[in-house]
Amino acid sequence: MFSKPSLIRRGITAKLFGLAFGLLCLYFIALLNLNVSFVVQFGLILWCITLGGLVALIGVINYLPLLKSIMPSWFSGGFICGWMNLLLWLIGGDSLTSIGQGLFPTLGSLFLGIGFVAIGVGFGIVAGFFAKLIGGEGPDVARDYTEGK
């Protein structure tokens, strides 16, 4: 069943991991009784699903022509999620800082941003690993295997 690489399996795996991570974040927000609006909570779930989709797509492009080597999908997944979380923190820092200061009241805004980026890198590494495990990696993922039938 998992013998041939598949972009669909890779995408479904990474997006389901993103959904599970987003629901886990909502659980911790409710458990710690943080004052976060419904819109931010819903956006957090959609953001995690979107990051999962980006991890699934970035794993298809794994060859670096400049270095003439293959980049592992867990590295590229960690990089893209860390970068996207940095951009999200720069754009929507007020809401994220309020969540972070509810968790860690003594840390400053810069350390919360660094932690948010580190969480993104960790998410991307784990999502990239499971997406590779179930769906494969590289250009073979996007190949059409029904062509010869």
Side-chain angles (χ1 to χ4, degrees):
M1 181 171 144
F2 294 132
S3 62
K4 295 180 182 175
S6 169
L7 185 60
I8 300 278
R9 275 197 312 265
R10 185 172 172 80
I12 288 173
T13 302
K15 287 180 183 180
L16 282 176
F17 185 78
L19 176 65
F21 187 78
L23 291 174
L24 182 70
C25 290
L26 288 186
Y27 173 73
F28 281 126
I29 287 173
L31 182 70
L32 297 172
N33 201 14
L34 299 176
N35 188 17
V36 180
S37 70
F38 174 74
V39 174
V40 173
Q41 291 178 12
F42 188 65
L44 185 64
I45 289 179
L46 293 179
W47 182 256
C48 290
I49 294 171
T50 303
L51 285 182
L54 287 174
V55 167
L57 290 177
I58 200 72
V60 176
I61 307 165
N62 66 349
Y63 181 72
L64 294 173
L66 213 66
L67 300 175
K68 294 183 177 139
S69 67
I70 293 176
M71 179 173 48
S73 64
W74 58 266
F75 178 79
S76 58
F79 178 77
I80 195 73
C81 287
W83 178 255
M84 294 302 289
N85 272 5
L86 174 67
L87 293 179
L88 181 67
W89 178 70
L90 291 174
I91 293 169
D94 295 336
S95 298
L96 298 174
T97 301
S98 67
I99 293 172
Q101 286 180 344
L103 294 170
F104 307 106
T106 58
L107 289 180
S109 178
L110 178 65
F111 288 116
L112 292 173
I114 292 170
F116 191 65
V117 171
I119 288 171
V121 169
F123 171 83
I125 288 172
V126 174
F129 172 75
F130 282 113
K132 176 186 175 186
L133 187 68
I134 294 175
E137 73 174 338
D140 290 339
V141 170
R143 191 162 288 133
D144 185 15
Y145 290 105
T146 62
E147 199 172 286
K149 292 183 179 181

